[in-house]
């Protein structure tokens, strides 16, 4: 049995700050994906929704919400929550249903209406919630968290604010070519340097915004795709949703301490690196096979970390790649050809799905001015709170 499932359709609602319900955004994206696939909504056998966490109550049951908005037709529904990895978990759930023979065609949707400014914890006391502890005990807002990672790179690898700025310059250039992006204006390194300091050493243009937006995919079995007339569809070949291994010896908020390594030796491969490695192993591919990657650039510094974690270079060599232009459009392995979160902002349940939408368009050769020439293999990388890793390999 092959592990491949076909991507028949991809759709998005443009990202921005629209001030409307996440249900509206998700419905637009879902209908766009269905139209792209040429699949009637009544033929969808399962809906997997990535739960919204900001527009309404945390853990909003998105599967049934979108099924209702599109019109009840009897499909099974699933709702998935894994913070920023929710979209990848939703894709993994849909793929598992297809490979298990539970459904031939599945709609995956993620959408959100984000707050103004950075994410804050919901009200009330929740001392058993590590993210609540991060905010209330450490006072570590997301920008402060991103800045700690940036400072760590500067201390360990000699990265500079100028290196970080070049990531924004690269992503803004790609985002300017993407009609779904919120920010569609090129940015210079001088403009990054002149933007306000938010959490030293990161400036306003080093940090992704919070956004409204949505993304959707129509996935199917390969047999259904052939019957449907899709003879050479983009295929999801691997979905990695692994967790860390004990002991974790590098601090990773919202955890506020590391594990002891006095008795158990740490694994040779760190958590984020292991996320991509598991996807490569499942796909039977490696970093050398990649045409492009979409990674989780909450900050410019964090994107450099992902270069190393997905195997594009060795530890501490990420800044070298961006200086050489290797990860820009036209480079050896373009990273965030979509423009990344730098150009979109965070719509939490949608972003991992949006990454696969971008891979789909790139592998089809329909990405327009940001097209990566000859794209055949792509990987996504993302990370949610509480040890939710995610990486997806798509091929054509």
């Amino acid at each position: 049995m092959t592990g491949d499932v076909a991507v028949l359709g991809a759709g998005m609602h443009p990202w921005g700050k629209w001030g409307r319900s996440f249900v509206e955004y998700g419905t637009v994206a879902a209908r766009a994906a269905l139209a792209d696939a040429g699949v009637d909504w009544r033929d969808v056998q399962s809906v997997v929704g990535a739960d919204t966490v900001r527009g309404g109550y945390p853990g909003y049951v998105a599967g049934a919400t979108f099924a209702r908005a599109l019109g009840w037709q009897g499909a099974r529904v699933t709702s998935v929550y894994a913070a920023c990895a929710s979209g990848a978990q939703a894709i993994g759930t849909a793929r598992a249903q297809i490979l298990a023979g539970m459904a031939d065609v599945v709609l995956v949707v993620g959408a959100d209406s984000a707050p103004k400014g950075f994410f804050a914890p919901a009200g009330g006391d929740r001392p058993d919630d590590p993210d609540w502890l991060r905010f209330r005990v450490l006072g570590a807002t997301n920008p402060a968290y991103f800045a700690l990672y940036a400072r760590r790179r500067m201390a360990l690898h000699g990265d500079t604010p100028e290196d970080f700025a070049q990531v924004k310059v690269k992503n803004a250039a790609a985002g300017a070519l993407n009609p779904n992006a919120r920010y569609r204006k090129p940015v210079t390194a001088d403009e990054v340097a002149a933007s306000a300091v938010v959490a030293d050493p990161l400036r306003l243009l080093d940090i992704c915004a919070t956004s409204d937006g949505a993304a959707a995919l129509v996935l199917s079995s390969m047999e259904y795709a052939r019957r449907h007339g899709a003879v050479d569809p983009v295929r999801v070949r691997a979905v990695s949703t692994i967790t860390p291994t004990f002991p974790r010896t590098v601090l990773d908020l919202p955890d506020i301490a590391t594990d002891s390594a006095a008795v158990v030796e740490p694994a040779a491969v760190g958590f984020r690196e292991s996320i991509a490695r598991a996807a490569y192993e499942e796909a039977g591919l490696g970093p050398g096979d990649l045409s492009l990657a979409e990674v989780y650039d909450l900050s410019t510094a964090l994107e450099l970390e992902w270069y190393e974690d997905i195997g594009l270079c060795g530890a501490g060599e990420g800044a070298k790649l961006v200086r050489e232009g290797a990860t820009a459009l036209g480079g050896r392995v373009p990273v965030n050809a979509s423009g990344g979160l730098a150009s979109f902002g965070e719509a939490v349940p949608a972003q991992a799905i949006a990454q696969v939408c971008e891979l789909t368009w790139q592998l089809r050769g329909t990405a327009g001015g940001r097209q990566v020439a000859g794209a055949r293999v792509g990987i996504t990388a993302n990370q949610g709170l509480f040890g939710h890793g995610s990486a997806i390999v798509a091929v054509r």
Side-chain angles (χ1 to χ4, degrees):
M1 181 177 70
T2 176
D4 286 1
V5 298
V7 183
L8 292 186
M12 294 182 70
H13 183 292
W15 291 28
K17 275 289 172 69
W18 311 109
R20 300 194 292 274
S21 166
F22 78 95
V23 183
E24 179 179 336
Y25 307 143
T27 303
V28 168
R31 287 176 175 153
L34 289 166
D36 185 45
V39 170
D40 189 281
W41 159 237
R42 290 167 294 186
D43 294 330
V44 171
Q45 298 166 344
S46 179
V47 180
V48 184
D51 284 358
T52 186
V53 290
R54 306 299 173 184
Y57 297 102
Y60 203 100
V61 285
T65 299
F66 292 126
R68 180 178 184 272
L70 291 163
W72 295 125
Q73 45 84 306
R76 71 170 69 235
V77 294
T78 309
S79 295
V80 175
Y81 175 65
C84 294
S86 295
Q89 293 270 4
I91 292 168
T93 299
R95 177 173 176 254
Q97 290 179 355
I98 292 167
L99 294 179
M102 298 168 64
D104 282 328
V105 59
V106 181
L107 174 67
V108 180
V109 191
D112 211 355
S113 299
K116 184 178 181 179
F118 58 79
F119 292 129
D125 292 340
R126 297 190 313 282
D128 56 346
D129 176 353
D131 204 34
W132 182 89
L133 292 172
R134 171 169 69 91
F135 281 102
R136 298 297 176 86
V137 177
L138 296 182
T141 61
N142 283 357
Y145 179 21
F146 308 155
L148 290 171
Y149 269 114
R151 276 288 169 197
R152 185 174 185 272
R153 288 198 63 83
M154 293 172 74
L156 291 180
H157 307 308
D159 291 4
T160 67
E162 290 73 25
D163 293 325
F164 304 152
Q166 288 304 319
V167 176
K168 175 67 176 183
V169 171
K170 171 187 73 70
N171 288 348
L177 303 172
N178 192 333
N180 288 308
R182 176 179 177 181
Y183 300 106
R184 300 191 59 199
K185 179 183 176 183
V187 171
T188 67
D190 287 342
E191 288 173 319
V192 178
S195 64
V197 174
V198 176
D200 186 70
L202 299 179
R203 296 179 175 271
L204 185 63
L205 294 184
D206 283 303
I207 298 170
C208 76
T210 58
S211 290
D212 298 359
L217 296 165
V218 176
L219 305 179
S220 81
S221 66
M222 295 304 297
E223 181 182 353
Y224 181 95
R226 284 190 290 272
R227 294 199 311 267
H228 194 65
V231 295
D232 184 27
V234 172
R235 304 180 299 282
V236 171
R237 177 154 291 174
V239 180
S240 166
T241 57
I242 63 169
T243 54
T245 56
F246 180 87
R248 296 189 72 182
T249 55
V250 175
L251 185 66
D252 188 12
L253 298 175
D255 295 331
I256 56 178
T258 61
D259 299 323
S260 171
V263 176
V264 180
E265 285 289 322
V269 177
F271 174 46
R272 277 199 298 269
E273 186 181 353
S274 70
I275 298 169
R277 180 170 293 195
Y280 289 136
E281 289 176 354
E282 184 179 327
L285 298 167
D289 298 304
L290 292 179
S291 305
L292 74 158
E294 288 286 310
V295 304
Y296 185 47
D297 59 316
L298 292 168
S299 78
T300 52
L302 190 58
E303 177 168 322
L304 299 180
E305 196 102 355
W306 281 113
Y307 295 173
E308 299 156 20
D309 293 330
I310 66 174
L312 297 184
C313 60
E317 297 175 355
K320 182 174 182 286
L321 288 191
V322 81
R323 290 180 206 133
E324 295 172 347
T327 57
L329 290 175
R332 175 170 60 87
V333 182
V335 176
N336 287 340
S338 66
L341 296 182
S343 299
F344 277 76
E346 282 198 276
V348 170
Q351 53 211 34
I353 301 171
Q355 289 179 324
V356 179
C357 288
E358 181 65 19
L359 292 191
T360 299
W361 294 321
Q362 290 285 351
L363 296 178
R364 287 178 179 173
T366 60
R370 65 186 191 281
Q371 180 64 50
V372 176
R376 304 297 294 178
V377 178
I379 192 170
T380 71
N382 210 302
Q383 183 183 356
L385 296 171
F386 320 122
H388 284 119
S390 88
I392 294 171
V393 173
V395 301
R396 191 173 189 190

